[in-house]
Amino acid sequence: MARNVLFIPGDGIGPEVMGEARKVIEWLNAKRRTDIALTDAAMGLGEWKRTGSPMSDETIAAAKAADAVLFGAVGGDEEIPRKLRRERGLLALRRAMGLYANLRPVRAYEGLLDASSLKERVVRGVDMVVLRELSSGVYFGEPRGIETLPNGKRRAVDTQSYTEEEIERVARDAFLLARSRRGLLASVEKSNVMETGRLWRDVVTAMHAEYPDVTLRHVLSDNFAMQLIREPRQFDVVVTDNLFGDLLSDASAMIAGSLGMLPSASLGTADASGRRPALYEPVHGSAPDIAGKGIANPIAAILSVAMMLRHSFGLTADAELIEKAVEAALAEGARTADLYMQGGIQPLTTLGMGKAILAKLDTLAA
Ligand SMILES: NC(=O)c1ccc[n+]([C@@H]2O[C@H](COP(=O)([O-])OP(=O)(O)OC[C@H]3O[C@@H](n4cnc5c(N)ncnc54)[C@H](O)[C@@H]3O)[C@@H](O)[C@H]2O)c1
């Protein structure tokens, strides 16, 4: 039976990088019989300008019905009104699909060590995944708002809130992920000063009894930030809340050298048939500064396809094939302009990088 994937290129460089992701899927269908059926949908600024709404009810329904969603990026030169964005933007789609676990793998590719802002000896061999809780915490907690005090000055309030269930479900994913990798889990919170941190640590500690094969470490978030820059190789799977995850996954991302390299997955709760709602997207945005120039790096979008194969379809060998093809192309010197370039190397276009990866797929699959 076909695997149904809703394909949303979005705005800016979204359609450019997703064009290369589509070619990889077409290659997989032709050569590996992955039977992935893509259905196109529009979302974002372009859709808002065309219809007055950045996302239609049909798109939300199609995303919920699909086996997975592949998403490019949205946004651009104009701002969609805040209220409409909250109701019809990416956050709304994530909420409608019940996505609570955001996975961001970070790898330092041997061929790209010079692209990192950290020293080669620090980043060489880094291979970690940050698992960020996506649906709760301070970004959603109530009460929130800005009020005017009797003295005429304003006061702003945000509320950090987590239930045991919310911590448990993301921690379970983290233990299972660690089990499928090197068996190391770092749980990051700030239990020395935050009540949510205390509960987070309690829940994760209690769950550890179910996963004795996983080595669990609790790390305070400020210490984690320091350790990440000092010695990132010590980490395998990292689980943390929405706010810390937002900051720390961006910081981790830079180890790999460029935003254009980083894929992500957002997963929800499995239904009765075992299917998990899932959305895969590059970490980067629509990059209006380079949109339309054909120079965006398509690797994050292509690696998002690999994540989809692994997490939604259990096609591990095909996922690894894509990752190896990317690695091989980089090792041979394929570089888009965002990747650090040693004198004289001509940068590839988006199409050129896609072509280099497809050529490696052909070689590896031969
Ligand atoms: N998930 C999303 O759709 C998403 C995420 C972040 C930002 N945005 C939106 O994107 C727009 C631009 O935001 P921003 O500039 O802060 O972030 P951005 O990620 O779009 O760009 C940041 C910088 O990185 C570069 N860059 C990003 N992706 C690249 C790629 N694949 N190849 C080469 N260079 C790349 C850009 O040229 C830019 O200089 C805004 O409208 C923002 O709201 C959307």
Side-chain angles (χ1 to χ4, degrees):
M1 213 167 64
R3 301 176 166 98
N4 292 311
V5 173
L6 190 69
F7 194 79
I8 311 180
D11 303 312
I13 62 167
E16 300 172 37
V17 296
M18 293 295 277
E20 300 313 298
R22 182 192 289 273
K23 287 178 198 164
V24 168
I25 291 173
E26 284 164 358
W27 184 93
L28 288 164
N29 281 343
K31 302 279 171 63
R32 309 279 290 188
R33 303 201 187 149
T34 42
D35 203 7
I36 294 170
L38 298 179
T39 304
D40 287 274
M43 182 176 159
L45 191 65
E47 180 70 354
W48 174 63
K49 285 181 182 168
R50 221 167 46 81
T51 67
S53 171
M55 178 171 60
S56 67
D57 289 340
E58 291 73 38
T59 299
I60 299 179
K64 287 164 87 168
D67 294 320
V69 177
L70 263 179
F71 178 81
V74 288
D77 49 352
E78 264 182 75
E79 279 274 294
I80 299 172
R82 195 178 162 84
K83 186 168 178 294
L84 203 54
R85 242 187 309 141
R86 270 192 100 85
E87 287 164 7
R88 294 275 151 172
L90 190 53
L91 268 184
L93 182 62
R94 288 179 181 149
R95 204 166 5 180
M97 293 175 70
L99 308 177
Y100 67 85
N102 181 227
L103 276 79
R104 287 191 184 184
V106 178
R107 266 189 72 186
Y109 286 90
E110 193 58 31
L112 259 194
L113 295 180
D114 54 0
S116 175
S117 45
L118 297 183
K119 292 193 174 74
E120 280 194 26
R121 66 174 165 75
V122 176
V123 296
R124 172 167 284 125
V126 168
D127 182 359
M128 59 187 274
V129 182
V130 179
L131 178 38
R132 164 189 172 193
E133 201 291 327
L134 198 60
S135 67
S136 185
V138 72
Y139 292 175
F140 296 96
E142 295 287 346
R144 59 186 292 145
I146 301 179
E147 60 176 355
T148 303
L149 299 171
N151 68 2
K153 296 287 186 192
R154 287 171 302 163
R155 171 176 180 260
V157 176
D158 289 294
T159 300
Q160 164 86 328
S161 146
Y162 269 104
T163 65
E164 266 188 78
E165 290 96 328
E166 286 168 343
I167 301 168
E168 256 169 33
R169 63 181 183 178
V170 73
R172 194 166 301 288
D173 282 344
F175 277 113
L176 290 171
L177 187 61
R179 181 176 269 176
S180 74
R181 293 171 47 96
R182 281 182 288 143
L184 307 176
L185 176 61
S187 171
V188 174
E189 30 65 6
K190 200 141 169 66
S191 52
N192 52 342
V193 289
M194 294 177 73
E195 300 307 317
T196 44
R198 275 178 53 201
L199 183 64
W200 187 283
R201 187 175 287 219
D202 274 3
V203 170
V204 173
T205 303
M207 285 178 74
H208 189 204
E210 295 174 52
Y211 304 93
D213 51 321
V214 173
T215 304
L216 171 66
R217 229 175 113 192
H218 299 285
V219 189
L220 295 176
S221 53
D222 44 349
N223 181 30
F224 180 84
M226 188 265 281
Q227 296 294 340
L228 183 67
I229 306 300
R230 194 184 71 82
E231 174 56 78
R233 268 186 302 259
Q234 65 185 295
F235 298 113
D236 177 14
V237 177
V238 179
V239 64
T240 190
D241 72 17
N242 205 342
L243 175 62
F244 292 144
D246 196 0
L247 309 183
L248 297 173
S249 64
D250 265 33
S252 317
M254 282 330 291
I255 290 170
S258 165
L259 259 179
M261 292 293 300
L262 301 160
S264 76
S266 302
L267 306 171
T269 307
D271 64 16
S273 69
R275 187 183 66 93
R276 284 187 89 168
L279 183 143
Y280 300 88
E281 60 176 319
V283 166
H284 63 74
S286 58
D289 54 337
I290 57 165
K293 296 184 180 161
I295 59 170
N297 184 349
I299 291 181
I302 289 172
L303 291 176
S304 297
V305 173
M307 288 194 86
M308 175 181 81
L309 298 175
R310 178 175 285 117
H311 293 284
S312 281
F313 304 139
L315 297 171
T316 312
D318 295 307
E320 281 171 1
L321 193 64
I322 295 178
E323 288 157 357
K324 285 203 179 96
V326 168
E327 201 170 350
L330 289 170
E332 216 162 67
R335 297 282 188 278
T336 38
D338 55 309
L339 302 173
Y340 176 77
M341 223 131 0
Q342 280 169 337
I345 301 177
Q346 191 60 26
L348 293 175
T349 59
T350 309
L351 295 181
M353 180 60 96
K355 216 167 162 184
I357 293 168
L358 284 170
K360 290 295 171 198
L361 280 172
D362 277 333
T363 314
L364 288 166

